[in-house]
Structures are given as C-alpha cells and as structure tokens.
DNA sequence: ACGCCAGGTATTTTT
DNA sequence: TACCTGGCGT
C-alpha cells in the first residue's frame, strides 16, 4: 500500500487517504481520477478493513465501471462480478431485483429499451385519442423521461398540468405507466425512479442499505440528474461516507437531465465537506492543454481553474480545411496512413471524433476504400437488430415474462399463420377480461370467435411457450438461447432463404448465442433475468478492445473518459459543432463548448481539427463556416487556421463511389459489432480483405485456399461483387461448400 | 394472411 | 439518404 501511495502526487494521495466524511474531488481532465478512485477502494479495503462487497461505486458508463473493476482486480484479487461497482442503472437494478415485490412487480419483470418504450407510447397516444403525428412519440417519451429524471410521477404531473398540452402529455404518461406495470416492465427512467421511490417509502429497506454500504464513491458527479442525486443523498444520509468525483467543465449530459448544480452545490448539501482539487494533468501536451483552456474559459458558469502539466509543449494543433466532407475524410485517412507508414503510430492510437452519428458514414466509406481498419462505437447497435430483438423477446417469455411487446414479436415472427386480424381479436378479449394474453388465448379458444385453423395455430404457439418455459428451468443460458433458435422455427425461417441479408442475420444470431455462452462463463451463478438485465443495460459501447489495432470512429459524447495519442476532431463547423440546435441559447452553447473541451483533452500528443467548406446535409449541399471554437484557439497553438474558407466548386463525385452504402452497411453489421463483454465479434474479418478492395476480386476459380474448419479447398465458382464475394469451394474433406468470403479468413495456398 | 412497394418524413448528444 | 407507414396485390 505504501509503495502505491508513494506513486501519487500530494493531492491524489490526500484524496485517497481522507475517509472521515463527505469528500469532493474536483478532478480536471487527465488528472488521474480513476487512479485515485481505485486506490481509494483499495485503501478502504486494506486499511479500513471494509469488505469489498460493502463499497458502492457508481459510474455513468459501463466502460468506466468495467475499467474500475478491472483495475481493482489488478490490485487485489477479488471476483469482480459481485462487486457493487456499477452504472447507476445497473446498481439500481440490483436493488430492484432484491425488492421487486414491494413495488408490485414480479420476479420476471423486464426492461424496455428505447424502441420498445417508443412503440408503447405511440400505442398509448392512440388510446388517449391523441394524434401521434401532432404529438411525436419521441417527444412524448422525452417529456416522460424528463419527468422521471426529476422524480415527477404520472399522478403528480397530471395534477400539476395547467395547459392542454401538459394535460395531454400527463394523460399519456398515466396510461403508459399503467401499461408498463401491467406488462411487468420498466424503462430506463423507471429504474432510477423506482429505486428512489423504494428507498423513500420503505425506511426499513433503506436502513438495510445504510448498514450494508460502508462507503460510497461516485464518478462523473457533474452528470447526475435529480433522481440520481436523490438516490445518493438517501443512501449516504446515515454515514455520510461519500466521495464524489467530477469536473464541472466536463458536464455534457444536460439533455439527459444532468444538473451541473449538483456538483456546484455539493458543499452546501453535505456538512463538513472536504474539497480536493486535482489540477495536474498527466495526459496531454502543454499545447493541447492550453488550447483546451482557451476554449473553455469563455464559459461563464464554471469554477475558474486552470490545469497544469509537466509534459512537453508538443506539436501545434493542426487545423485543416477541405472542400467537402469526402475530402475531409480523405485528408484524415491520408494523415493516418502517413503516420502509420512512418511506423510512428499504430491504428489503435488514433481516434476520429464527430458531433453526430451521421457524420460517421463518410469516414467509414473512405476508410473502407482506403484499407484502414476501424471500429465504430455506437451507431446501429447490435442489440437493436430485428433478429436479435426477436431472440431477446423469446428469451424474455421463456424466463416467465408475460410482456405483451415480446409476446407479439414472437407470435408474429417467424410467421405461424397468425396475423394482425387474429391478434386484434385476442387483444380485444384481453382488454375485455382484463387479463394477460395467454389467458385471453384460452378464453378465445373456448369461444366461437375464431376459426378452427386459427385456434390450432394459437394453441401451437402456447405449447411452444410452455416448452420453452420448461427448458428455461433446466438449460443453461447459452443452451436455452440455442433451443429457442431451433424450436421457435426461427432458424428454419432464416435458413430457408439464402439472401445476403439473411446470411447476415444468421451470423448475428450466432453471435448472440456465443454471447450467451460467454455470459455463462463470466457469471456462473447468473440466471436468465440477470442476462436480460445485462443485455438491456450494457450498451455495445462498453470497452474498446485494446489489442485490436483499429482506428476508433466515435462521437464526442462517447469519447468522454477515453484518451488517445492522436485525435482528429472533425466537422468543426458552425451548425455542426456547435450544433445548430444548440447554437442560440447560451446555456446550450456552453454545453457545446464543454463538449469541445472534452474532445480536446482526450488527445495526448497530437490533435487535428478539420472543417469542410461544404457538406451534404439532408441530401442538400450546404456551405459551412469554421467553428467558433477554432477561433478561440490562439495562433501560437494552432496552424493552418484559414482566414477564408475554400468554397467548393460544385463538381460532383458521386460516380466515383465504387460501392454502395448498402454494401457498407452489410460490411459493418458483420464486422464490427461487439459482444456483450466488450470484445469485438467476428475477429475473423481480416485486413487481407481490405487490401484486396477495390481493385477487382482476389478470388479466382481454380485457386486453392485454406479454410479454418474445412481445410484445403479449391474455388469452383465466384459470385457477387468485390468485397462481397460468394464463393463455391470444393473441399476434399468436407465436400462442396458455399462461403461468403468476408466471413472467413481464407488463406491462399 | 402476408409481402412488397411507393411515397412521405426526419435527422444531436445516451444510460 | 435512411426509415417507416399505409395501401395494394397475391
């Protein structure tokens, strides 16, 4: 322990050692905050004899949580699965799983993701006689989410509503909650809301957690919303053993309800707070740090502070203007290639940041063509693919849930001769008898409302569910998913048609199955509910795999907490960054500026900023001006700042695209989706593939290749476009096989 | 019952 | 450029 402490600077050490009351650590970017947190955990365990399981540590992202767990495990060997080191949502889920019955839920309650929630809200809008075209489901969902973040219940909202608008929203909110409760379901907002409600209304339960949690640590405190703030206040009320870490300059989640006042007022909220500032930056060059300060200093609502570093001044920031977004991507690509070929940096050292997910596309296209391996973080998520959502729906039902969204999904796919008409009838019976769907099926099958054919089909479905529920009691999770895939007819459905899209789907399901088996391994005592929670709460943006040598393409929001030697901040244009929707209100602009600060401070050695003069937006070219954030950086810290932007001549380059976006999509779906444990699926996708495109197919009839499973084989047929080849090979050992070249690493021999 | 196609529309950031 | 929806044809 002593040696460990000696490696910290004075402020860091003080932060680790102080354990006598509430502690606020103001930790600037790159000041070794995670290090302090993990050492503090270790210190509590070693020197204060606290059981590791009695420490609650909450973070915002799974990435941060798993990193912390990993670091704790490196210091002391404890099984990380049981540790209360979690995101807010996961920690609350754990509490709720221990007390579901108190809230009127059953042990089978499920989590709705955003799209489930949106779908249900749309239904509620219709049921409330509100036109979903006037009140957009998404907007209503946001309003409800906001209410939950502020701990406003549906009833409270209804009684507070003054305007017709508010009343409409409130009535939808009431119906939505009622339906959610009926379906035994919670959305993201409910998880926190219900945990707080539970602790507020049940002092004896709160007391049990007071006794349990000897110390509470909170990361990214500046991003807490009111509900999370209240949760912490409740849990810390008795012992006041709470340590929060944050940086007001890095608060970027106001849109999600984060309240920067939580950190600014921490000293008022808790008596006798000790505040420690970590101001030495160990990450970035002096130049980068100064540039970050030159941007952030324009904000009015912040505690003034300036980080310092002992690092070298480093190279100036390189600013570059291009004609359009395609040139921008090509510029980034050429810089990366140049650095890589010089042997100075590997691909994984590099990150490309952008403000919106939509900007990612062009980079993917150009990187794909240019043969630079990349990973995208975010964008279309693995778990939101239809086939995966279908499998999850089956899994929810098998686990015992009567969630109607899942039942409908599984009832309709694969096609089993039951359609909208039959389903409507069943649902009507369900409402009339106020019962669940399975009982409704029983009732309707005893009546004369349906033809014999439809009845038979429904009964078959019920039998399927019963079988799967029995299986769920005996099979392991991986085996259960496999059983579902086979027994539901889903596999048959997918294998019937061999279109490229379907091959993708088959692959995705196989990845999902592999993930389930892996979960089994990681969490030996986990059950199906835990696995479902895990899927719902662990977004794919977990962990960037360090040993994958790929460039990261990532939004600025997701980049928070990460660091890279080389960073490209792209789309530095007015309207993009700062975003057009956030340019006019002062508060929102300040948040954009903080986002910029976050972006700059991710860079360790070298920072690039690019902006295009013209950019296609909504399929229309629009002329762009460089971002005001570039102007904030003084000339001595940046080169290439253009006085005038280079406007594009309207030459069109569409014809040059050698592959369509559809190809790109397919490629991506297959290649770069992570499994639930942070590793990338499909490691098989190899660089040899990149090198071949786009100049003609590498696969020729008559050539021999080594297949990882089938051994040596000879190509008898090549179909499909370059990079998308469908090969027919003859293997002496395995016979003739059709193979999508990109799935498998084929070694010429 | 169910698949397909055309046409309209939406695009910030996420647990 | 995407997705979604609603209408139509099988």
């Amino acid at each position: 322990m002593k040696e460990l402490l000696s490696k910290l600077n004075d402020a860091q050490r003080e932060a680790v050692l102080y354990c006598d009351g509430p502690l606020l650590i103001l930790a600037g970017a790159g000041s070794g905050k995670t290090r302090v947190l993990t050492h503090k955990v270790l210190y509590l365990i070693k020197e204060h004899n606290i059981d590791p399981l009695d420490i609650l540590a909450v973070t915002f992202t799974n990435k941060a949580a798993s990193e912390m767990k990993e670091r704790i495990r490196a210091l002391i060997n404890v099984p990380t699965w049981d540790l209360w080191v979690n995101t807010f949502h996961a920690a609350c889920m754990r509490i709720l799983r221990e007390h579901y019955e108190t809230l009127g839920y059953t042990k089978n309650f499920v989590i709705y993701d955003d799209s489930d929630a949106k779908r249900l809200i749309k239904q509620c809008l219709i049921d409330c006689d509100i036109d979903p075209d006037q009140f957009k489901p998404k907007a209503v969902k946001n309003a409800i989410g906001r209410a939950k973040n502020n701990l406003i219940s549906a009833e409270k909202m209804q009684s507070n509503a003054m305007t017709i608008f508010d009343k409409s929203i409130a009535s939808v909110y009431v119906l939505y909650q009622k339906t959610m409760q009926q379906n035994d379901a919670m959305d993201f907002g409910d998880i926190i809301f219900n945990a707080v409600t539970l602790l507020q209304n049940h002092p004896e339960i709160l007391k049990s957690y007071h006794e349990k949690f000897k110390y509470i640590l909170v990361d990214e405190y500046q991003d807490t919303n009111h509900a999370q703030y209240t949760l912490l206040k409740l849990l810390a009320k008795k012992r006041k053993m709470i340590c929060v870490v944050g940086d007001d300059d890095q608060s970027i989640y106001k849109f999600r309800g984060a309240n920067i006042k939580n950190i600014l007022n921490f000293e008022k909220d808790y008596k006798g707070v000790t505040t420690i500032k970590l101001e030495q930056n160990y990450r970035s060059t002096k130049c980068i740090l100064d540039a970050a300060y030159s941007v952030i200093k324009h904000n009015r609502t912040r505690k003034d502070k300036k980080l310092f570093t002992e690092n070298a001044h480093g190279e100036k920031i390189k600013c570059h203007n291009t004609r359009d977004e395609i040139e921008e991507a090509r510029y980034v690509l050429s810089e990366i290639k140049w650095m890589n070929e010089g042997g100075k940096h590997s691909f994984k050292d590099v990150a490309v940041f952008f403000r919106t997910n939509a900007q990612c596309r062009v980079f993917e296209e150009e990187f794909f063509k240019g043969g630079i391996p990349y990973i995208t973080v975010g964008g279309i998520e693995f778990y939101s693919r239809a086939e995966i959502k279908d499998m999850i729906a089956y899994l929810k039902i098998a686990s015992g849930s009567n969630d109607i969204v899942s039942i409908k999904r599984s009832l309709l796919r694969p096609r089993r001769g039951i359609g909208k008409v039959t389903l409507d009838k069943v649902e009507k019976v369900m409402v009339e008898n106020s019962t669940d769907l399975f009982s409704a099926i029983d009732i309707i099958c005893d009546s004369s409302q349906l033809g014999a054919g439809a009845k038979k089909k429904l009964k078959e479905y019920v039998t399927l569910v019963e079988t799967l529920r029995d299986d769920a009691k005996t099979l392991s999770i991986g085996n259960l998913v496999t059983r579902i895939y086979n027994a539901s007819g889903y596999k048959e459905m997918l294998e019937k048609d061999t279109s490229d899209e379907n091959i993708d789907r088959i692959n995705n399901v196989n990845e999902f199955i592999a993930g389930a088996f892996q979960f089994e391994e990681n969490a030996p005592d986990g059950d199906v509910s835990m696995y479902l929670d895990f899927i719902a709460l662990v977004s794919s943006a977990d962990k960037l795999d360090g040993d994958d040598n790929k460039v990261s393409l990532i939004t600025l929001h997701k980049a928070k907490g990460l660091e890279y030697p080389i960073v490209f901040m792209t789309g530095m244009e007015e309207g993009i960054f700062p975003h057009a929707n956030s340019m006019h209100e002062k508060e929102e602009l300040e948040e954009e500026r903080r986002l910029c600060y976050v972006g700059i401070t991710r860079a360790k050695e070298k920072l690039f900023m690019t902006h295009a003069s013209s950019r296609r937006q909504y399929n229309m070219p629009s002329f762009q001006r460089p971002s005001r954030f570039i102007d904030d950086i003084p000339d001595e810290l940046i080169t290439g700042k253009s006085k005038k932007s280079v406007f594009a001549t309207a030459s069109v380059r569409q014809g040059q695209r050698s592959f369509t976006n559809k190809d790109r999509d397919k490629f991506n779906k297959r290649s770069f989706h992570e499994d639930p444990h942070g590793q990338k699926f499909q490691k098989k996708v190899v660089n040899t593939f990149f090198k071949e495109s786009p100049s003609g197919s590498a696969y020729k009839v008559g050539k021999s290749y080594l297949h990882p499973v089938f051994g040596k084989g000879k190509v008898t047929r090549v179909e499909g476009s370059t990079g998308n080849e469908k090969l027919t090979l003859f293997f002496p050992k395995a016979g003739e096989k059709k193979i999508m070249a990109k799935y498998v690493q084929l070694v010429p021999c």
Side-chain angles (χ1 to χ4, degrees):
Chain A
M1 193 75 223
K2 260 190 185 156
E3 303 98 85
L4 282 172
L5 288 174
S6 69
K7 285 181 189 156
L8 303 175
N9 69 32
D10 290 348
Q12 290 174 333
R13 193 176 316 114
E14 204 192 333
V16 170
L17 295 178
Y18 182 81
C19 296
D20 297 331
L23 174 64
L24 169 64
I25 303 175
L26 293 170
S31 62
K33 156 194 89 161
T34 313
R35 203 160 174 218
V36 167
L37 277 173
T38 48
H39 281 70
K40 198 168 179 70
V41 170
L42 184 71
Y43 182 75
L44 290 165
I45 296 167
K46 286 269 160 85
E47 304 293 322
H48 285 252
N49 290 320
I50 294 179
D51 185 331
L53 297 182
D54 290 345
I55 297 171
L56 173 67
V58 274
T59 63
F60 271 83
T61 61
N62 294 297
K63 186 185 71 217
S66 49
E67 189 186 332
M68 204 155 144
K69 280 184 186 173
E70 206 39 62
R71 292 224 211 164
I72 291 170
R73 187 165 63 180
L75 294 172
I76 40 163
N77 201 16
V78 286
T80 52
W81 180 257
D82 294 329
L83 291 177
W84 283 80
V85 178
N86 272 328
T87 61
F88 268 101
H89 292 265
C92 287
M93 265 316 279
R94 212 162 147 185
I95 292 174
L96 292 172
R97 283 278 173 218
E98 285 171 3
H99 301 282
Y100 51 85
E101 73 293 341
T102 321
L103 288 160
Y105 282 84
T106 78
K107 72 176 198 323
N108 299 318
F109 80 86
V110 294
I111 301 173
Y112 275 12
D113 69 14
D114 273 348
S115 64
D116 296 335
K118 208 172 99 190
R119 181 166 298 167
L120 186 63
I121 281 174
K122 195 179 170 192
Q123 188 58 51
C124 291
L125 283 166
I126 295 165
D127 293 343
C128 287
D129 275 327
I130 296 170
D131 181 6
D133 287 334
Q134 268 182 23
F135 283 63
K136 297 269 180 285
K138 199 180 161 191
V140 176
K141 189 180 120 293
N142 285 341
I144 292 176
R146 213 174 308 126
K148 288 176 182 173
N149 286 340
N150 289 316
L151 296 177
I152 297 166
S153 69
E155 294 71 30
K156 204 156 144 196
M157 191 184 202
Q158 201 162 40
S159 59
N160 287 351
M162 303 299 285
T163 63
I164 298 202
F165 179 85
D166 288 351
K167 280 180 183 160
S168 309
I169 301 261
S171 64
V172 178
Y173 186 10
V174 170
L175 180 63
Y176 174 71
Q177 286 313 116
K178 198 180 137 210
T179 321
M180 290 290 275
Q181 185 82 239
Q182 273 170 6
N183 281 328
D184 221 9
M186 294 188 197
D187 64 19
F188 283 124
D190 287 326
I191 294 172
I192 313 278
F193 181 95
N194 285 337
V196 172
T197 314
L198 178 83
L199 298 177
Q200 275 176 339
N201 297 345
H202 299 273
E204 72 290 354
I205 295 174
L206 179 60
K207 199 175 154 228
S208 72
Y209 288 108
H210 281 160
E211 269 155 31
K212 175 162 181 57
F213 297 130
K214 308 286 191 302
Y215 204 95
I216 299 171
L217 293 138
V218 190
D219 193 11
E220 309 277 14
Y221 190 68
Q222 76 281 354
D223 285 330
T224 48
N225 62 35
H226 180 67
Q228 291 160 332
Y229 163 85
T230 310
L231 179 87
L232 293 171
K233 225 173 165 185
L234 281 165
L235 289 172
K237 198 166 69 185
K238 190 164 157 252
R239 293 178 188 267
K240 306 256 173 13
M241 287 302 192
I242 181 168
C243 164
V244 305
V245 189
D247 178 2
D248 53 320
D249 286 335
Q250 293 188 61
S251 168
I252 55 172
Y253 283 110
K254 186 167 172 278
F255 72 93
R256 212 169 68 190
N259 189 346
I260 198 167
K261 283 188 185 138
N262 290 346
I263 193 163
L264 299 175
N265 290 341
F266 185 80
E267 283 150 319
K268 282 184 205 151
D269 289 327
Y270 292 86
K271 283 206 184 92
V273 171
T274 300
T275 304
I276 295 171
K277 288 182 186 171
L278 305 180
E279 292 169 303
Q280 179 169 5
N281 175 293
Y282 293 94
R283 181 186 294 149
S284 312
T285 64
K286 197 161 181 315
C287 177
I288 289 168
L289 215 53
D290 288 347
Y293 181 71
S294 65
V295 172
I296 197 69
K297 74 174 178 201
H298 289 90
N299 274 5
R300 307 289 302 283
T301 35
R302 68 182 287 267
K303 295 192 170 182
D304 191 47
K305 58 194 156 312
K306 196 175 174 189
L307 298 177
F308 68 96
T309 183
E310 287 169 3
N311 292 344
H313 183 273
E315 285 176 64
K316 278 189 177 185
I317 293 165
K318 197 164 172 185
C319 182
H320 188 78
N321 177 217
T322 59
R323 183 170 62 173
D324 57 28
E325 76 277 11
I326 296 170
E327 289 296 334
E328 180 185 43
R330 287 181 184 165
Y331 167 73
V332 172
L333 177 112
S334 67
E335 288 284 348
I336 294 174
K337 267 198 158 159
W338 187 78
M339 281 187 282
N340 183 251
E341 278 159 16
K344 265 178 79 185
H345 290 285
S346 51
F347 292 129
K348 68 168 187 296
D349 291 346
V350 185
V352 179
F353 295 167
F354 32 81
R355 173 69 235 265
T356 66
N357 279 310
Q359 289 164 254
C360 189
R361 160 143 298 133
V362 190
F363 288 99
E364 288 188 61
E365 281 180 21
E366 294 303 322
F367 281 29
F368 176 85
K369 283 196 277 188
I372 290 200
Y374 62 89
I375 57 164
T376 58
V377 183
I380 322 131
E381 306 242 333
F382 179 71
Y383 291 117
S384 59
R385 304 214 174 296
E387 61 275 17
I388 301 304
K389 290 211 71 175
D390 288 339
M391 296 310 288
I392 294 172
Y394 277 104
L395 201 52
K396 280 182 180 170
I397 294 162
S399 79
S401 168
N402 282 341
D403 167 40
I404 185 108
V405 174
S406 301
I407 293 174
K408 276 198 207 166
R409 266 199 109 91
S410 62
L411 196 54
L412 294 174
R413 205 146 55 187
R415 289 288 162 198
R416 39 173 53 92
I418 304 160
K420 211 176 157 296
V421 177
T422 310
L423 196 60
D424 282 349
K425 282 184 191 164
V426 176
E427 274 195 88
K428 204 168 145 239
V429 172
M430 201 178 111
V431 174
E432 280 166 0
N433 294 274
S434 57
T435 179
D436 66 79
L437 196 131
F438 290 112
S439 314
I441 290 177
D442 279 346
I443 295 169
I444 208 165
C445 284
D446 288 337
S447 74
S448 55
Q449 296 175 56
L450 273 182
K455 281 183 186 174
K456 186 165 165 266
K457 299 269 160 62
L458 281 172
K459 278 179 182 159
E460 275 169 19
Y461 173 75
V462 173
T463 313
L464 170 70
V465 171
E466 281 166 356
T467 323
L468 292 178
R469 284 184 174 176
D470 281 342
D471 290 340
K473 289 181 191 122
T474 55
L475 296 179
S476 76
I477 296 165
N479 288 322
L480 177 62
V481 178
T482 314
R483 173 67 58 85
I484 286 170
Y485 186 37
N486 289 313
S488 63
Y490 212 93
K491 191 178 184 195
E492 204 187 341
M493 173 186 84
L494 288 182
E495 286 178 349
K496 215 159 39 189
D497 142 28
T498 54
S499 64
D500 289 2
E501 288 80 8
N502 253 337
I503 294 176
D504 287 349
R505 292 191 188 105
I506 292 170
N507 263 280
N508 286 335
V509 176
N510 284 331
E511 285 165 11
F512 183 68
I513 293 172
F517 276 111
Q518 187 143 75
F519 179 85
E520 254 174 65
E521 247 172 68
N522 291 11
D525 45 355
D527 58 13
V528 180
S529 295
M530 278 167 80
Y531 182 52
L532 287 168
D533 293 349
F534 178 82
I535 292 170
L537 297 178
V538 178
S539 83
S540 62
D542 254 19
K543 195 167 71 180
L544 296 175
D545 219 358
D547 46 69
D548 254 7
N549 192 18
K550 289 171 180 168
V551 175
S552 300
L553 304 182
I554 189 170
T555 64
L556 282 157
H557 280 86
K558 283 200 164 157
K560 186 155 97 151
L562 303 173
E563 57 174 37
Y564 298 89
I566 313 291
V567 165
F568 290 85
M569 291 177 72
T570 67
M572 298 295 293
E573 297 144 34
E574 291 288 298
I576 297 285
F577 190 33
H579 194 273
N581 295 357
S582 309
M583 270 169 50
H584 307 296
E585 290 229 31
K586 222 171 99 194
E587 274 190 25
E588 296 195 312
L589 187 62
E590 293 211 340
E591 178 136 324
E592 294 286 305
R593 187 170 266 115
R594 288 194 291 270
L595 192 55
C596 184
Y597 176 78
V598 167
I600 295 173
T601 53
R602 300 307 95 195
K604 289 162 91 168
E605 295 167 26
K606 180 136 182 135
L607 179 64
F608 293 82
M609 288 186 170
T610 61
H611 60 101
S613 300
S614 154
R615 180 178 294 273
R616 283 187 94 80
Q617 285 184 286
Y618 313 129
N619 208 24
M620 290 270 290
S622 73
F623 296 107
Q624 305 291 108
R625 284 178 30 241
S627 169
R628 65 191 74 190
F629 300 144
I630 294 179
D631 284 339
D632 289 342
I633 302 171
D635 285 342
E636 64 264 27
L637 300 175
I638 191 166
T639 64
K641 225 157 91 166
S642 52
K643 299 280 172 277
K644 271 184 208 156
S645 51
V646 190
F647 279 103
T649 48
S651 84
V652 187
R653 60 186 66 222
Q654 281 156 338
Q656 289 178 30
R657 299 193 185 197
S658 62
F659 71 107
T660 66
N661 281 320
K662 228 178 183 175
D663 291 335
R664 198 280 333 266
D665 278 350
K666 278 185 222 151
F667 173 77
N668 262 326
K669 265 185 219 167
R670 255 188 301 275
S671 328
F672 301 121
H673 279 284
E674 292 149 289
D675 77 5
H677 307 276
Q679 293 126 338
K680 307 294 160 298
F681 282 123
Q682 296 267 320
K683 290 223 170 105
K684 292 156 260 172
V685 176
V686 274
N687 281 346
T688 52
F689 169 50
F690 287 100
K691 287 186 195 129
E692 307 302 352
S693 61
S695 56
S697 176
Y699 303 98
K700 298 246 158 53
V701 173
K703 261 186 167 175
S704 285
Y705 291 89
L706 195 64
H707 184 279
V709 177
F710 304 133
K712 207 173 149 179
K714 208 175 197 180
V715 179
T716 56
R717 215 170 141 192
V718 180
E719 292 164 284
S721 54
T722 300
N724 221 12
E725 294 95 339
K726 208 185 273 178
L727 306 176
T728 311
L729 290 102
F730 183 77
F731 298 93
K733 279 186 203 161
E736 193 180 80
K737 298 275 172 194
K738 279 189 196 277
I739 280 160
M740 293 295 290
K742 66 184 100 173
Y743 296 144
V744 192
Q745 179 166 16
L746 292 176
V747 184
C749 63

